[in-house]
Amino acid sequence: MNKLPELIFNISKEGKVGYSFSPVPATFTDDMIALDGEYRRNDMEDFPQLSEVEVVRHYTQLAQLNHSVDSGFYPLGSCTMKYNPKVNDTVASLDELSCHPYAPISTVQGNLEIMKTLDEWLCKITGMGGFTLAPAAGAHGEFTGMKIIRKHLSDKGDPRKIVLIPDSAHGTNPASAHFSGYEIKEIPSNPDGILDVETLEKYLTPDVAALMMTNPNTLGIFEKNISKIAEKLHANGSLLYMDGANMNAFMGIVKPGDLGVDVLHLNLHKTFSTPHGGGGPGSGPVGVAAHLVQHLPVPVITKTNDGYHAAYFNKGIGRVKNFYGNFLVMVRALAYIMALGKENIRKVAEDAVLNANYIRKNLEDVLNLQYSSKTLHEVVFSDKGLNVKTLDIAKRLLDFGIHPFTVYFPLIVHGAMMIEPTETESRETLDEFISVMRAILKEAQEDPEKLTSAPHNTPVRRLDEVLAARQLVLRWKKTEEK
Amino acid sequence: MKYFPLTDSDREEIRKLLGIKETSELFSDIPGDKSYYPTDDLPSAVPENELIDGFKAIARRNTFPGYKSFLGGGAYNHFTPEVVKYLSTKGEFLTPYTPYQPEVSQGSLQAMFEYQTMMTMLTGMDVSNASLYDGGTAAAEGVLLALRKARKKNTILIAKNLHPEYIEIIETYMRDLVEYKSKYVDFDPKTGTINPDELEKIVCDDCAGFIFQSPNFLGVAENSKRISEILHAKNAFSIQTITEAMSLPFMTAPGENGVDIVVGEAQSFGLPLGYGGPYLGFMAVKEDFIRQMPGRLVGETRDIDGKRGYVLTLSTREQHIKREKATSNICSNEAWCALRAGMYLATMGKAGLRQISKTNHLNAAYFVKEVSTFKHVGVKYIRNFFNEVVLEVKNMSIDEFTGKLEKKGILAGIPLKWFFKELESAVLINFTELHKKEDIDCLIRAIGELQ
Ligand SMILES: Cc1ncc(COP(=O)(O)O)c(C=O)c1O
């Protein structure tokens, strides 16, 4: 496609109408307006005016410019771009679920049942004592979890000062801990890409509130010292927070609660298949050990003989989100778990790990693997030893209709290429990816220019991000001559 | 299981290639006594047809849809055109992630740029971000933004008639940031609004800003202009919250009133009630706040051939670059909700938004006019509301009042005693364009019968 769709502002024309709705009743006249003149708006000058068909074509043309899970392979590491089952969208769009959040509790028992059921399933899958479904995304869950830790420690007399975070962590971890009032100390991983007990001990001062550990970590490696680490932390009065964004790697295989984890968050928009929506909405439930349940944010759904209720704990951290959280995302996640059932929940992890290892095995002779520990759900290669950069390979992949892996993360891998195939890809898709990757790497030897100038076949070519940041254009403005 | 494309022979061949017998060997780093626990306590897999039936059965346990609802208070039932539902649920919009690879994400990026533009037009501000989680967290982010920008000033003033849940969220966000303080500003119960003269006395030298809502939680417009002037005189920022975005096409834009930061909830733009989420937090600011702003921003640029294109920009504010020094921890946000809101705004267009917002107001105004003859109830603030009004009940308790109406199939409003001691016998009633005149007449009649 050579031409990008015009901005809607440029196809707008005075007098066009794209909607139809009952007119204001004739008896409702303007003299009934009860708003003083100073509060009333007079114009919306440049606001778009389009006909319905123009709106449909505009967004259909835009849709065609997007790569998505529905359109092709999307091995974006750490993001778990698995297939989003359509039946989940169907059930989430049942009109009867779309109630008002302040409806009397007796009129929304179905919705509370959905939340309570999801909560119970998540407890069983993770081995935690209780969940809040309120957080809107992973980072929001981290923030909520750190608040819970802080509340627990404060109630015991001292919130402490420091949160330890391994150098392989996602950027949201330090940011979330910071917004919960903590100082961050970065702690190095060992040559196997995981955290040593000895290293932890060096950092484990009485000031340490918690360790935030991603498991499996962002290298796709299981933190095998986790139980020992939990013991050390607990002996120091510190807590173990687990970033469970990668729970899909061992769902049904091991419960974090059995490993000594005190608080964790899950990403329903990753492990539990809810669509990513171009960057949200997500949902980031937080699970806690039994003794921390009292600190969950409001509201908490409870069940008694006479039905479901929304409870308000006064030892909780307060409210983190309006109403109950991203309810329609929870509905999709529950539908997903129900469709899997006990028969398949473990297969998610098994197939995801088989697929990641299949890619590793087929590319490790041509790409550098900085950490050779066992791979779980994703494999992270480095651009070390190549004559092109990770970015060039990523951009060249676009020409083959494949979405690139996550690039330059985790930071501890030089030129990281973080590949997460997920369990919802066929062997044929993986084979194609592997052969495209091998072809690109061969091309890098023979004709590196082909990579450094890629992509060639996309709707736009490499975009100037420096220009975007230097000459900020963050909105359309009417040009003078028009 | 249809979600797994690998066949048993695929699995077998992969295992052979990897030199293992059992897939479980791949998990050998996990302590053996803890792994492969029995999963028998989980329910069995449900086939697709039964799954749909099952959810329909659960959905039927909600009796809410059988009522005529006049509930608002931060969640509003508005009309959504079919094209918006159709377009927004296209897989190309629903199933990508954050546009990290802009060359194959121009659809999402351009749509987001258009959304940002329409939000700046509606709010009268310079810049809008690409979304935040919801209205309440947007309010909290607005407060933190003002505090960051004000640097040495450490106190935030909070209007007591700001949405009570938003206040709770702000408190949660501020609680552990010990360097910051908050103070409350009472509203005048007679007018339901902040008295600017009182505010003027309270604004102190260490005030970074004042966060208020307009129309406020009691449905009444605040004098944003006066409020902003008072704050500016003390070098403090004016932060306006809007929970009912549908008021924007009908009411003076915050930007015109001198507001510095606008935050709020845009669920009204095409998102279903959805039992409270996902919704759409928004933030729009004056230009000089851009570099301190939280959330994603889409900017225009050129590709190497000089062609126009869009990218995520100013990411040096964000957690993946700045880690603990980022302006916010937000990563995934509500991108799809913003995209859908953009579609809604484009479809309704100038004329549609003006008609719908006016209908909202006139429906509320009609109710106010009609109940003015009743003695047993009274509308507390009879002017300068948008689509929500406070009704005081004088002849019975509020529980009795809402209970009796509920029996007649009406959810009349939100009992304000949930949130305000001083409004023990009042309900907050919301009217949107989806209430037909007959619905409002039905409510009026039912209230009339409670004399
Ligand atoms: C390991 C890890 N932690 C946390 C997050 C943050 O999750 P979210 O984007 O939902 O806030 C992500 C994903 O972006 C992640 O991959």
Side-chain angles (χ1 to χ4, degrees):
Chain A
M1 192 186 293
N2 281 327
K3 209 162 168 293
L4 297 177
E6 272 295 341
L7 287 166
I8 44 171
F9 310 103
N10 295 330
I11 49 178
S12 163
K13 188 165 151 192
E14 184 68 33
K16 285 190 180 174
V17 177
Y19 79 102
S20 134
F21 192 82
S22 317
V24 183
T27 50
F28 289 12
T29 47
D30 276 8
D31 59 335
M32 285 166 61
I33 290 176
L35 196 65
D36 295 343
E38 61 185 295
Y39 295 122
R40 285 187 60 190
R41 185 171 192 133
N42 298 317
D43 78 312
M44 293 170 45
E45 211 179 327
D46 300 325
F47 212 84
Q49 304 181 66
L50 284 82
S51 64
E52 181 169 310
V53 64
E54 287 166 308
V55 172
V56 170
R57 289 205 180 129
H58 179 70
Y59 284 105
T60 303
Q61 285 166 16
L62 287 181
Q64 287 163 355
L65 301 177
N66 272 359
H67 184 95
S68 65
V69 174
D70 279 4
S71 55
F73 190 39
Y74 208 136
L76 190 69
S78 208
C79 299
T80 315
M81 303 304 290
K82 64 169 75 177
Y83 168 67
N84 313 128
K86 304 308 164 200
V87 65
N88 301 349
D89 298 330
T90 304
V91 298
S93 57
L94 289 172
D95 282 342
E96 294 80 4
L97 297 181
S98 190
C99 304
H100 192 284
Y102 287 144
I105 288 297
S106 62
T107 68
V108 287
Q109 288 292 301
N111 285 351
L112 297 185
E113 181 180 337
I114 286 172
M115 287 192 276
K116 189 65 195 161
T117 310
L118 178 61
D119 170 348
E120 285 167 3
W121 273 81
L122 295 180
C123 284
K124 282 178 182 156
I125 291 171
T126 59
M128 303 309 286
F131 264 87
T132 170
L133 304 174
H140 202 213
E142 294 166 17
F143 172 74
T144 302
M146 293 316 293
K147 287 268 184 197
I148 291 170
I149 288 175
R150 197 176 171 105
K151 174 79 178 149
H152 164 76
L153 293 171
S154 301
D155 282 5
K156 285 174 62 179
D158 178 13
R160 304 195 176 191
K161 284 206 181 67
I162 294 165
V163 169
L164 302 177
I165 302 182
D167 51 9
S168 57
H170 195 264
T172 49
N173 287 194
S176 301
H178 170 77
F179 281 99
S180 319
Y182 284 115
E183 257 169 57
I184 284 74
K185 253 204 191 123
E186 194 173 277
I187 153 168
S189 346
N190 75 9
D192 293 332
I194 58 170
L195 192 57
D196 281 334
V197 180
E198 296 73 43
T199 312
L200 172 75
E201 280 180 313
K202 270 190 248 154
Y203 286 81
L204 203 53
T205 57
D207 258 1
V208 171
L211 167 73
M212 277 184 108
M213 185 187 234
T214 306
N215 198 19
N217 65 26
T218 60
L219 296 161
I221 302 172
F222 185 79
E223 292 279 356
K224 61 180 166 194
N225 303 318
I226 185 166
S227 298
K228 258 262 146 46
I229 285 172
E231 271 172 40
K232 294 281 174 207
L233 287 163
H234 293 156
N236 191 51
S238 318
L239 282 81
L240 176 57
Y241 182 97
M242 189 186 108
D243 179 334
N246 299 332
M247 182 76 196
N248 51 308
F250 56 48
M251 180 161 71
I253 308 272
V254 67
K255 301 181 197 179
D258 290 347
L259 301 170
V261 170
D262 298 295
V263 183
L264 61 71
H265 81 263
L266 302 172
N267 283 22
L268 298 188
H269 48 300
K270 296 179 181 174
T271 305
F272 297 94
S273 87
T274 73
H276 284 77
S283 175
V286 171
V288 295
H291 70 287
L292 298 172
V293 169
Q294 56 178 339
H295 300 312
L296 289 176
V298 295
V300 176
I301 312 302
T302 56
K303 187 184 180 187
T304 60
N305 288 335
D306 60 342
Y308 296 91
H309 309 271
Y312 294 81
F313 293 174
N314 51 20
K315 281 201 156 178
I317 58 165
R319 181 178 288 282
V320 296
K321 171 96 179 66
N322 288 147
F323 313 119
Y324 297 91
N326 285 343
F327 177 71
L328 297 179
V329 180
M330 302 172 205
V331 174
R332 288 177 169 89
L334 179 62
Y336 176 67
I337 307 175
M338 287 173 71
L340 290 175
K342 62 181 167 198
E343 297 84 353
N344 297 300
I345 205 120
R346 179 176 288 162
K347 285 213 188 100
V348 169
E350 288 189 333
D351 279 6
V353 174
L354 278 173
N355 278 351
N357 277 283
Y358 186 69
I359 289 178
R360 171 176 166 166
K361 190 78 187 173
N362 280 293
L363 290 177
E364 65 186 351
D365 60 322
V366 285
L367 283 173
N368 175 276
L369 197 60
Q370 197 169 314
Y371 297 94
S372 57
S373 301
K374 272 189 132 74
T375 287
L376 285 181
H377 65 298
E378 62 196 2
V379 57
V380 184
F381 290 111
S382 157
D383 66 0
K384 258 190 222 157
L386 299 178
N387 62 330
V388 290
K389 296 200 212 72
T390 288
L391 190 70
D392 301 320
I393 300 172
K395 294 299 181 196
R396 187 67 178 129
L397 271 173
L398 295 172
D399 285 332
F400 293 89
I402 294 173
H403 195 284
F405 29 72
T406 292
V407 295
Y408 301 107
F409 174 74
L411 307 175
I412 55 172
V413 173
H414 187 274
M417 301 175 219
M418 186 193 220
I419 308 172
E420 179 180 18
T422 84
E423 75 283 4
T424 67
E425 296 302 333
S426 68
R427 175 127 172 255
E428 292 70 31
T429 300
L430 304 184
D431 283 337
E432 194 202 328
F433 171 71
I434 289 160
S435 68
V436 167
M437 279 296 286
R438 296 188 76 96
I440 290 175
L441 290 166
K442 195 152 166 257
E443 207 172 49
Q445 302 290 320
E446 293 158 2
D447 185 9
E449 160 75 19
K450 198 97 199 172
L451 276 69
T452 51
S453 60
H456 306 276
N457 310 330
T458 44
V460 289
R461 298 191 49 213
R462 247 184 245 206
L463 288 152
D464 191 342
E465 301 194 6
V466 177
L467 175 73
R470 209 177 40 216
Q471 295 179 10
L472 283 177
V473 180
L474 303 174
R475 56 168 294 187
W476 171 87
K477 277 199 184 113
K478 197 167 169 172
T479 46
E480 288 313 317
E481 65 275 11
K482 269 208 167 173
Chain B
M1 185 356 149
K2 65 172 180 167
Y3 300 159
F4 305 132
L6 291 186
T7 63
D8 280 341
S9 70
D10 287 332
R11 294 184 182 100
E12 191 48 46
E13 281 167 41
I14 294 175
R15 279 193 292 264
K16 214 179 271 161
L17 179 78
L18 299 175
I20 56 172
K21 278 217 164 62
E22 302 288 337
T23 304
S24 61
E25 291 169 46
L26 294 170
F27 297 91
S28 62
D29 278 349
I30 301 176
D33 57 329
K34 308 240 164 58
S35 66
Y36 281 84
Y37 62 90
T39 51
D40 302 335
D41 61 338
L42 297 172
S44 279
V46 182
E48 183 163 310
N49 59 319
E50 293 175 32
L51 194 66
I52 295 171
D53 290 345
F55 270 90
K56 281 186 177 161
I58 298 179
R60 275 195 294 275
R61 271 168 247 164
N62 289 334
T63 54
F64 172 82
Y67 290 89
K68 272 195 193 7
S69 162
F70 296 88
L71 301 171
Y76 304 97
N77 192 28
H78 289 291
F79 169 70
T80 302
E82 287 307 308
V83 285
V84 173
K85 297 178 196 167
Y86 162 76
L87 291 168
S88 64
T89 49
K90 278 179 175 289
E92 294 91 334
F93 289 129
L94 203 51
T95 71
Y97 201 18
T98 309
Y100 294 123
Q101 297 292 340
E103 297 87 349
V104 291
S105 314
Q106 286 300 301
S108 293
L109 285 161
Q110 181 174 329
M112 203 57 76
F113 182 80
E114 293 169 348
Y115 162 82
Q116 288 176 185
T117 303
M118 288 187 275
M119 290 307 285
T120 59
M121 288 174 171
L122 286 169
T123 55
M125 304 301 284
D126 297 325
V127 195
S128 157
N129 75 5
S131 84
L132 293 169
Y133 299 139
D134 65 6
T137 59
E141 293 276 16
V143 162
L144 295 180
L145 170 61
L147 286 162
R148 269 199 304 280
K149 180 78 181 158
R151 286 237 175 104
K152 291 198 179 80
K153 301 177 165 208
N154 67 350
T155 304
I156 279 290
L157 300 178
I158 304 173
K160 274 214 177 145
N161 55 1
L162 171 62
H163 194 302
E165 286 199 8
Y166 290 28
I167 292 182
E168 288 180 65
I169 295 168
I170 293 171
E171 280 184 352
T172 305
Y173 271 68
M174 287 186 71
R175 187 170 307 120
D176 300 323
L177 303 176
V178 289
E179 63 275 32
Y180 298 145
K181 296 191 180 65
S182 61
K183 256 196 235 163
Y184 287 91
V185 179
D186 274 319
F187 60 94
D188 180 347
K190 279 208 285 298
T191 62
T193 58
I194 299 295
N195 179 341
D197 298 331
E198 290 301 314
L199 176 71
E200 195 158 21
K201 287 183 216 153
I202 300 168
V203 184
C204 43
D205 290 335
D206 59 357
C207 278
F210 173 49
I211 183 161
F212 64 100
Q213 179 178 326
S214 182
N216 62 36
F217 190 68
L218 305 175
V220 194
E222 295 286 354
N223 193 340
S224 305
K225 194 169 192 159
R226 261 301 301 285
I227 290 173
S228 302
E229 282 163 8
I230 290 166
L231 293 163
H232 293 162
K234 289 271 176 121
N235 278 322
F237 300 126
S238 167
I239 313 164
Q240 180 175 339
T241 306
I242 294 173
T243 64
E244 174 45 304
M246 198 58 80
S247 64
L248 284 165
F250 194 67
M251 297 179 66
T252 323
E256 268 183 53
N257 289 330
V259 172
D260 300 290
I261 300 170
V262 185
V263 285
E265 178 59 66
Q267 172 263 332
S268 292
F269 295 155
L271 295 165
L273 280 176
Y275 204 48
Y279 284 4
L280 171 57
F282 72 90
M283 175 182 279
V285 298
K286 284 188 183 160
E287 198 153 9
D288 39 332
F289 289 82
I290 298 177
R291 276 161 211 282
Q292 288 294 331
M293 199 180 194
R296 303 236 131 106
L297 284 167
V298 175
E300 193 173 286
T301 188
R302 302 267 149 198
D303 76 358
I304 49 172
D305 298 332
K307 204 155 146 190
R308 184 201 74 200
Y310 298 91
V311 291
L312 292 174
T313 194
L314 290 186
S315 51
T316 47
R317 299 163 299 122
E318 294 187 67
Q319 45 75 28
H320 59 281
I321 312 272
K322 279 283 165 61
R323 299 177 84 85
E324 68 266 29
K325 296 196 184 68
T327 57
S328 166
N329 64 335
I330 198 165
C331 179
S332 294
N333 43 91
E334 309 289 297
W336 179 82
C337 303
L339 180 109
R340 181 156 159 142
M343 291 172 176
Y344 172 86
L345 294 172
T347 306
M348 298 306 289
K350 190 197 282 196
L353 291 171
R354 297 205 70 129
Q355 180 193 326
I356 297 291
S357 61
K358 187 171 167 185
T359 306
N360 275 253
H361 179 69
L362 286 176
N363 280 352
Y366 171 68
F367 173 82
V368 171
K369 194 170 124 227
E370 293 298 304
V371 297
S372 66
T373 55
F374 291 158
K375 294 264 152 29
H376 66 300
V377 296
V379 170
K380 202 159 157 80
Y381 313 116
I382 57 163
R383 277 201 78 75
N384 294 332
F385 51 83
F386 171 59
N387 69 359
E388 281 182 284
V389 295
V390 173
L391 187 76
E392 278 198 306
V393 178
K394 298 168 188 166
N395 63 338
M396 63 182 81
S397 78
I398 214 65
D399 290 339
E400 208 181 333
F401 178 81
T402 53
K404 284 187 167 156
L405 290 173
E406 199 176 317
K407 286 216 179 72
K408 299 181 188 209
I410 295 172
L411 300 175
I414 300 168
L416 287 167
K417 65 168 185 175
W418 289 359
F419 309 113
F420 302 99
K421 275 200 305 294
E422 56 275 41
L423 292 167
E424 205 188 354
S425 58
V427 278
L428 181 68
I429 308 183
N430 164 250
F431 301 90
T432 74
E433 74 282 7
L434 288 177
H435 293 111
K436 295 197 238 7
K437 183 168 177 294
E438 302 91 86
D439 299 325
I440 306 170
D441 285 336
C442 165
L443 173 68
I444 294 165
R445 218 176 308 117
I447 292 174
E449 284 163 11
L450 297 181
Q451 260 177 61

Coordinates of all heavy atoms in Angstrom, one line a residue, chain A residues 187-221:
Chain A
I187 N 20.3 -5.7 42.0 CA 21.1 -6.8 42.4 C 21.5 -7.7 41.2 O 20.6 -8.0 40.4 CB 20.4 -7.5 43.6 CG1 20.7 -9.0 43.8 CG2 18.9 -7.4 43.6 CD1 20.2 -9.4 45.2
P188 N 22.7 -8.1 41.1 CA 23.2 -8.7 39.8 C 22.8 -10.2 39.8 O 22.8 -10.9 40.8 CB 24.7 -8.6 39.9 CG 25.0 -8.4 41.3 CD 23.9 -7.8 42.0
S189 N 22.5 -10.7 38.6 CA 22.3 -12.1 38.4 C 23.6 -12.8 38.2 O 24.6 -12.1 37.8 CB 21.4 -12.4 37.1 OG 20.8 -11.2 36.7
N190 N 23.7 -14.1 38.3 CA 24.9 -14.8 38.2 C 25.1 -15.2 36.7 O 24.3 -14.9 35.9 CB 25.0 -16.0 39.2 CG 24.1 -17.1 38.7 OD1 23.5 -17.1 37.6 ND2 23.9 -18.1 39.6
P191 N 26.3 -15.8 36.4 CA 26.5 -16.2 35.0 C 25.5 -17.1 34.4 O 25.4 -17.2 33.2 CB 27.9 -16.8 35.1 CG 28.5 -16.3 36.3 CD 27.4 -16.1 37.3
D192 N 24.7 -17.8 35.2 CA 23.7 -18.6 34.7 C 22.4 -17.8 34.4 O 21.4 -18.4 34.0 CB 23.3 -19.8 35.7 CG 24.5 -20.8 35.8 OD1 25.3 -20.9 34.8 OD2 24.6 -21.4 36.9
G193 N 22.4 -16.5 34.8 CA 21.3 -15.7 34.5 C 20.2 -15.7 35.6 O 19.1 -15.2 35.4
I194 N 20.6 -16.3 36.8 CA 19.6 -16.3 37.9 C 20.3 -15.7 39.1 O 21.4 -15.3 39.1 CB 19.1 -17.7 38.2 CG1 20.3 -18.6 38.5 CG2 18.3 -18.3 37.0 CD1 19.9 -20.0 39.1
L195 N 19.5 -15.6 40.2 CA 20.0 -15.0 41.4 C 20.5 -16.1 42.4 O 19.9 -17.1 42.6 CB 18.8 -14.3 42.1 CG 19.1 -13.3 43.2 CD1 20.1 -12.2 42.8 CD2 17.8 -12.7 43.7
D196 N 21.7 -15.7 42.9 CA 22.4 -16.6 43.9 C 21.9 -16.3 45.3 O 21.7 -15.1 45.6 CB 23.9 -16.3 43.9 CG 24.6 -17.0 42.8 OD1 24.2 -18.0 42.3 OD2 25.7 -16.4 42.5
V197 N 21.9 -17.3 46.1 CA 21.6 -17.0 47.5 C 22.7 -16.2 48.1 O 22.4 -15.2 48.9 CB 21.4 -18.4 48.3 CG1 21.1 -18.1 49.7 CG2 20.3 -19.2 47.6
E198 N 23.9 -16.5 47.8 CA 25.1 -15.7 48.4 C 25.0 -14.2 48.0 O 25.2 -13.4 48.8 CB 26.4 -16.3 47.9 CG 26.7 -17.7 48.3 CD 25.9 -18.7 47.5 OE1 25.7 -18.6 46.3 OE2 25.3 -19.7 48.2
T199 N 24.7 -14.0 46.7 CA 24.6 -12.6 46.3 C 23.5 -11.9 47.1 O 23.6 -10.8 47.6 CB 24.3 -12.5 44.8 OG1 25.1 -13.3 44.1 CG2 24.4 -11.1 44.3
L200 N 22.3 -12.5 47.2 CA 21.2 -12.0 47.9 C 21.7 -11.6 49.4 O 21.4 -10.5 49.9 CB 20.0 -12.9 48.0 CG 18.9 -12.5 48.9 CD1 18.1 -11.3 48.2 CD2 18.0 -13.6 49.3
E201 N 22.4 -12.6 50.0 CA 22.8 -12.3 51.4 C 23.6 -11.1 51.5 O 23.5 -10.4 52.5 CB 23.5 -13.6 51.9 CG 22.6 -14.7 52.3 CD 23.3 -15.9 52.8 OE1 24.3 -16.3 52.2 OE2 22.9 -16.4 53.9
K202 N 24.4 -10.8 50.5 CA 25.2 -9.6 50.6 C 24.4 -8.3 50.7 O 24.7 -7.3 51.2 CB 26.2 -9.5 49.4 CG 27.5 -10.2 49.7 CD 28.5 -9.8 48.6 CE 28.8 -11.1 47.8 NZ 29.2 -10.9 46.4
Y203 N 23.2 -8.3 50.0 CA 22.3 -7.2 49.9 C 21.3 -7.1 51.0 O 20.6 -6.2 51.2 CB 21.7 -7.1 48.6 CG 22.6 -6.7 47.4 CD1 23.4 -7.7 46.9 CD2 22.5 -5.4 47.0 CE1 24.2 -7.3 45.8 CE2 23.4 -5.1 45.9 CZ 24.2 -6.0 45.3 OH 25.0 -5.6 44.3
L204 N 21.2 -8.2 51.8 CA 20.0 -8.4 52.7 C 20.3 -7.7 54.0 O 20.5 -8.3 55.0 CB 19.7 -9.9 52.8 CG 18.3 -10.2 53.3 CD1 17.3 -9.6 52.4 CD2 18.2 -11.7 53.3
T205 N 20.1 -6.4 54.0 CA 20.3 -5.6 55.3 C 18.9 -5.6 56.0 O 17.9 -5.9 55.4 CB 20.7 -4.2 54.9 OG1 19.8 -3.6 54.0 CG2 22.1 -4.2 54.3
P206 N 18.9 -5.1 57.3 CA 17.6 -5.1 58.0 C 16.6 -4.1 57.4 O 15.5 -4.1 57.7 CB 18.1 -4.6 59.4 CG 19.5 -4.9 59.5 CD 20.1 -4.8 58.1
D207 N 17.1 -3.2 56.5 CA 16.3 -2.2 55.8 C 15.5 -2.8 54.7 O 14.7 -2.1 54.1 CB 17.2 -1.2 55.2 CG 17.3 0.0 56.1 OD1 16.6 0.0 57.1 OD2 18.0 1.0 55.7
V208 N 15.8 -4.0 54.3 CA 15.1 -4.5 53.1 C 13.7 -5.0 53.3 O 13.4 -5.8 54.2 CB 16.0 -5.7 52.5 CG1 15.2 -6.4 51.4 CG2 17.3 -5.2 52.0
A209 N 12.8 -4.3 52.6 CA 11.4 -4.7 52.7 C 11.1 -5.9 51.9 O 10.3 -6.8 52.4 CB 10.5 -3.5 52.3
A210 N 11.6 -6.0 50.7 CA 11.2 -7.1 49.9 C 12.2 -7.3 48.7 O 13.0 -6.4 48.4 CB 9.8 -6.9 49.3
L211 N 12.1 -8.4 48.1 CA 12.8 -8.7 46.8 C 11.7 -8.9 45.8 O 10.7 -9.6 46.0 CB 13.6 -10.0 46.9 CG 14.1 -10.6 45.6 CD1 15.2 -9.7 45.0 CD2 14.6 -12.0 45.8
M212 N 11.8 -8.2 44.7 CA 10.9 -8.3 43.6 C 11.6 -9.2 42.6 O 12.6 -8.8 42.0 CB 10.6 -7.0 42.9 CG 9.5 -6.2 43.6 SD 9.2 -4.7 42.7 CE 7.5 -5.1 42.0
M213 N 11.0 -10.4 42.4 CA 11.7 -11.4 41.5 C 10.7 -11.8 40.4 O 9.6 -12.2 40.7 CB 12.1 -12.5 42.4 CG 12.9 -13.6 41.7 SD 13.2 -14.9 42.8 CE 14.9 -15.1 42.7
T214 N 11.2 -11.8 39.2 CA 10.4 -12.3 38.1 C 10.7 -13.8 37.9 O 11.9 -14.1 37.8 CB 10.7 -11.5 36.8 OG1 10.5 -10.1 37.1 CG2 9.7 -11.9 35.7
N215 N 9.7 -14.6 37.9 CA 9.9 -16.0 37.8 C 8.9 -16.7 37.0 O 7.7 -16.6 37.3 CB 10.0 -16.7 39.2 CG 10.7 -18.1 39.1 OD1 11.4 -18.4 38.2 ND2 10.4 -18.9 40.1
P216 N 9.3 -17.4 35.9 CA 10.6 -17.5 35.3 C 11.0 -16.0 35.0 O 10.2 -15.2 34.6 CB 10.5 -18.3 34.1 CG 9.0 -18.6 33.9 CD 8.3 -18.2 35.1
N217 N 12.3 -15.8 35.0 CA 12.8 -14.4 34.8 C 12.7 -14.0 33.4 O 12.3 -14.8 32.5 CB 14.2 -14.2 35.4 CG 15.2 -15.1 34.7 OD1 15.1 -15.4 33.6 ND2 16.3 -15.4 35.5
T218 N 13.2 -12.8 33.1 CA 13.0 -12.3 31.7 C 13.9 -13.0 30.7 O 13.8 -12.7 29.5 CB 13.2 -10.8 31.7 OG1 14.5 -10.5 32.2 CG2 12.2 -10.1 32.6
L219 N 14.8 -13.8 31.2 CA 15.6 -14.6 30.3 C 14.9 -15.9 29.9 O 15.4 -16.7 29.2 CB 17.0 -14.9 30.9 CG 17.9 -13.7 31.2 CD1 18.9 -14.1 32.2 CD2 18.5 -13.2 29.9
G220 N 13.7 -16.1 30.5 CA 13.0 -17.4 30.3 C 13.6 -18.5 31.1 O 13.4 -19.7 30.8
I221 N 14.3 -18.1 32.2 CA 14.9 -19.2 33.1 C 14.3 -19.2 34.4 O 13.9 -18.2 35.0 CB 16.4 -18.8 33.3 CG1 17.1 -18.7 31.9 CG2 17.1 -19.8 34.2 CD1 18.6 -18.1 32.0

